[in-house]
Amino acid sequence: MSAAGKTRWKCACFLASACMALLFLPEHAEAQQGQGAPARLSEIAGAIESYRDATVTMKLKLKTVDTVFERIAFYDQKNHDIVFDISRRETKKRLKRQMMNIHEGMDYFVTFKVVKTDNSGLVMAELVDFRPAVLDRIP
């Protein structure tokens, strides 16, 4: 192998190892969520009066996308679900880019506006935006 080939190989190995190191860095969801943001949906449900009409960003996993009833569901660390209605035209238009490449089980930073809790104590909210959490790990 020539000297130029060895240099290219070393550069490729260095870049691959740097990318792998970035993927395994400690997550910094606290910085993304802001000061005092809840880590779980049960925290919002427990203090609904202080979160009512507030816009919250949380790290959640995508559970399902229901194209028939036009709903999207996410869940938190303790497997508490939150389901959003995406049937309105404005919502579909706003989330069109995100919906093209979504994957169940992947982490997302979900921004939503808290409305209330239902009779069973689940949080009801309006979806504002969601983006893959992995994008924050890429330089």
Side-chain angles (χ1 to χ4, degrees):
M1 186 179 285
S2 69
K6 288 181 183 180
T7 303
R8 285 188 200 131
W9 178 252
K10 287 179 183 179
C11 288
C13 289
F14 174 75
L15 287 174
S17 62
C19 289
M20 291 300 292
L22 284 173
L23 288 177
F24 294 106
L25 283 176
E27 299 179 27
H28 52 282
E30 296 81 29
Q32 284 295 326
Q33 292 179 2
Q35 207 56 279
R40 294 188 299 266
L41 293 169
S42 59
E43 292 177 23
I44 295 175
I48 191 64
E49 292 304 321
S50 63
Y51 286 107
R52 190 175 308 240
D53 296 326
T55 303
V56 179
T57 301
M58 294 179 65
K59 186 175 180 181
L60 303 171
K61 287 189 182 286
L62 179 63
K63 185 175 184 179
T64 58
V65 178
D66 187 353
T67 56
V68 175
F69 295 107
E70 296 180 328
R71 296 184 184 272
I72 186 168
F74 293 92
Y75 63 97
D76 66 1
Q77 301 166 356
K78 296 290 183 177
N79 291 332
H80 295 281
D81 293 349
I82 186 165
V83 180
F84 299 103
D85 180 28
I86 54 172
S87 62
R88 293 183 23 205
R89 182 176 295 174
E90 299 85 25
T91 306
K92 286 180 185 177
K93 188 174 181 180
R94 185 171 17 107
L95 300 175
K96 183 177 181 180
R97 293 183 69 108
Q98 290 92 331
M99 297 297 288
M100 290 189 323
N101 194 21
I102 57 177
H103 301 284
E104 293 177 0
M106 192 166 141
D107 288 331
Y108 289 91
F109 285 113
V110 181
T111 304
F112 56 92
K113 182 179 177 186
V114 178
V115 177
K116 61 180 180 178
T117 56
D118 61 4
N119 294 337
S120 62
L122 297 175
V123 177
M124 296 180 70
E126 296 177 18
L127 182 61
V128 175
D129 191 26
F130 65 93
R131 60 187 172 81
V134 72
L135 292 181
D136 288 348
R137 295 182 181 177
I138 299 173

